[in-house]
Amino acid sequence: MKMKTRQITVTAIMLAICIASQFFKNLSVYITGPVINAALILTVLYAGLACGIILSIITPVTAFFITGSPVMAAIPAMFPCIMAGNAILVLCIALLKGKLGSKAGFPVSIVIGSILKGLFMGVVISLIILPNMLPEKMAPMLKVLQLQFSFTQVVTALIGGVYAFIIAAALRKTSLGKQD
């Protein structure tokens, strides 16, 4: 696969935005989550599916190195599940946006992708991984973590989708907004 300069540039800028937002994760997941989801969506729109998948894989790793989540450190099996959840969102945007019509396709793909991401992470992480792998000393956090890796994922993806929709609308009249 040969990447164009535009794809590399867009992906690098979106990764930089993700990394910068991850410094605020300890303040609220409702700050970081929407920014990262918006960056994933915008990457798919302006750099393509492959770049969106790449960013889906990189962002959980950078988040761990920046915030040092004790839950992620205790349960490394969550990494590929978060990566897959991000990839589900990205795939839905890439595959459904054009198929659902020019006006409704983008917002509908955001809603479907957000719900599928949350469902996947809710089942795999909240219902399977956390109850079976969470260390005993972290057991009091189980309900909060289950909510964070299910419903919260839907909400932050939807908010990120709104951000991406607004940004894409603003970029539509620029040279970046013109699709290849």
Side-chain angles (χ1 to χ4, degrees):
M1 176 179 82
K2 183 177 176 186
M3 289 208 162
K4 296 178 183 176
T5 304
R6 173 183 160 157
Q7 291 175 296
I8 295 168
T9 304
V10 167
T11 307
I13 290 168
M14 291 300 145
L15 178 59
I17 290 169
C18 289
I19 289 171
S21 76
Q22 290 167 342
F23 284 100
F24 298 100
K25 188 170 188 168
N26 290 331
L27 292 176
S28 174
V29 70
Y30 292 103
I31 294 171
T32 304
V35 172
I36 290 173
N37 284 297
L40 292 171
I41 294 166
L42 291 169
T43 301
V44 171
L45 290 180
Y46 298 109
L49 178 59
C51 293
I53 298 288
I54 290 167
L55 201 60
S56 296
I57 293 168
I58 294 172
T59 53
V61 176
T62 59
F64 175 73
F65 284 121
I66 291 169
T67 63
S69 168
V71 176
M72 298 291 287
I75 312 172
M78 290 173 56
F79 279 101
C81 298
I82 295 169
M83 292 170 183
N86 289 342
I88 288 169
L89 175 64
V90 164
L91 277 166
C92 285
I93 303 299
L95 298 176
L96 298 176
K97 181 182 166 283
K99 293 192 186 316
L100 298 172
S102 59
K103 293 267 187 211
F106 185 36
V108 171
S109 68
I110 290 169
V111 172
I112 292 171
S114 299
I115 292 169
L116 291 178
K117 174 183 179 175
L119 278 173
F120 172 80
M121 292 176 72
V123 169
V124 176
I125 295 174
S126 296
L127 298 179
I128 298 171
I129 292 177
L130 287 172
N132 293 304
M133 300 178 106
L134 192 66
E136 189 63 38
K137 65 182 178 186
M138 295 181 175
M141 299 169 37
L142 179 62
K143 294 294 180 201
V144 172
L145 291 171
Q146 286 176 315
L147 182 64
Q148 181 179 344
F149 288 102
S150 57
F151 180 73
T152 302
Q153 295 299 319
V154 175
V155 173
T156 58
L158 287 171
I159 295 169
V162 171
Y163 293 170
F165 186 82
I166 292 167
I167 293 167
L171 292 174
R172 198 167 289 128
K173 293 183 172 59
T174 68
S175 62
L176 183 62
K178 292 176 180 52
Q179 301 292 321
D180 291 334

